[in-house]
Amino acid sequence: DTAVSQTPKYLVTQMGNDKSIKCEQNLGHDTMYWYKQDSKKFLKIMFSYNNKELIINETVPNRFSPKSPDKAHLNLHINSLELGDSAVYFCASSQEASSYNEQFFGPGTRLTVL
Amino acid sequence: LAKTTQPISMDSYEGQEVNITCSHNNIATNDYITWYQQFPSQGPRFIIQGYKTKVTNEVASLFIPADRKSSTLSLPRVSLSDTAVYYCLVGSGYSTLTFGKGTMLLVSP
């Protein structure tokens, strides 16, 4: 059973479109995260949710809107996609919202904006 | 947040021991040190975590000197499958974990 799953694995779209990436974890964790890894492999946190509540919101354009319908899901919706949004997006989860806790990552979603 | 500095890349051969050192000069009293491994086209995976002295698990060892201003991840007898990027992270409580660029370890036959 996959612990943290993301769909789709690949996403190719045109500039200006709106797209969503879904994430689900079956570990019973309270905290979920979204990370962005750009072409230079720099992995940067975007958001963190704890029990469906936003606790970390790094400097991310408001075109990015996370949504957590329940604590097992954290979806990422992106409006008006731009070329610079092309990257690999990773979802992760941890037992608690603490940097002590091991984070479990999904396989990533490679987003390409044309 | 404590900033970390690690080598951009390292090369090794199969069967050798590899030591990757991370500097974190402004580490705070409550900060823990955590290492993650990332294979190409996969998400990072937790390897080991420690606060001080030495921690060992089935994958690696983590050496932390008394001043905690640095830490060394030790991988015994590496194999080709250990080729990956290794990230050193420092943080505590609800602080954000910053992954940085990591160290690209290339293991050759």
Side-chain angles (χ1 to χ4, degrees):
Chain A
D1 287 342
T2 303
V4 181
S5 59
Q6 297 177 226
T7 54
K9 187 168 177 62
Y10 299 97
L11 184 54
V12 181
T13 187
Q14 300 285 334
M15 270 198 311
N17 285 348
D18 302 338
K19 291 293 179 185
S20 293
I21 306 172
K22 295 185 177 181
C23 178
E24 176 181 2
Q25 55 96 2
N26 62 6
L27 299 168
H29 288 167
D30 287 341
T31 308
M32 296 185 72
Y33 313 79
W34 275 108
Y35 287 86
K36 177 181 180 181
Q37 188 166 44
D38 60 26
S39 58
K40 297 182 179 179
K41 304 302 182 184
F42 191 70
L43 188 61
K44 186 175 181 180
I45 190 166
M46 301 172 69
F47 302 101
S48 174
Y49 269 70
N50 187 58
N51 279 320
K52 302 194 298 175
E53 290 191 13
L54 181 66
I55 57 171
I56 294 174
N57 184 352
E58 294 297 306
T59 307
V60 177
N62 57 15
R63 297 183 294 103
F64 291 78
S65 54
K67 295 232 175 0
S68 183
D70 55 63
K71 73 175 192 177
H73 296 82
L74 181 62
N75 303 322
L76 184 64
H77 188 76
I78 314 170
N79 289 326
S80 303
L81 278 156
E82 300 177 356
L83 294 177
D85 297 332
S86 295
V88 180
Y89 292 83
F90 288 101
C91 176
S93 73
S94 64
Q95 183 66 51
E96 297 176 351
S98 167
S99 55
Y100 306 133
N101 287 173
E102 176 181 351
Q103 293 189 24
F104 293 80
F105 283 77
T109 295
R110 182 174 294 277
L111 171 65
T112 302
V113 182
L114 303 174
Chain B
L1 295 174
K3 181 180 177 182
T4 60
T5 303
Q6 358 174 180
I8 294 174
S9 64
M10 293 182 69
D11 295 323
S12 182
Y13 292 98
E14 281 189 294
Q16 289 188 334
E17 177 184 78
V18 172
N19 296 309
I20 306 175
T21 297
C22 177
S23 298
H24 27 80
N25 290 319
N26 59 340
I27 187 169
T29 302
N30 294 331
D31 284 347
Y32 273 70
I33 301 156
T34 310
W35 285 79
Y36 280 78
Q37 173 192 55
Q38 185 178 22
F39 296 114
S41 303
Q42 294 186 27
R45 185 182 72 163
F46 174 94
I47 302 176
I48 197 166
Q49 184 182 76
Y51 182 80
K52 62 180 180 180
T53 63
K54 177 183 174 182
V55 179
T56 298
N57 61 24
E58 65 277 5
V59 177
S61 294
L62 179 59
F63 298 92
I64 306 169
D67 66 6
R68 303 197 332 119
K69 293 185 183 299
S70 67
S71 58
T72 299
L73 175 72
S74 181
L75 305 172
R77 297 179 300 281
V78 294
S79 63
L80 297 178
S81 62
D82 291 317
T83 292
V85 178
Y86 293 82
Y87 297 96
C88 165
L89 297 89
V90 173
S92 62
Y94 293 97
S95 65
T96 304
L97 284 178
T98 300
F99 274 76
K101 293 187 178 182
T103 297
M104 174 66 217
L105 172 65
L106 176 62
V107 180
S108 301

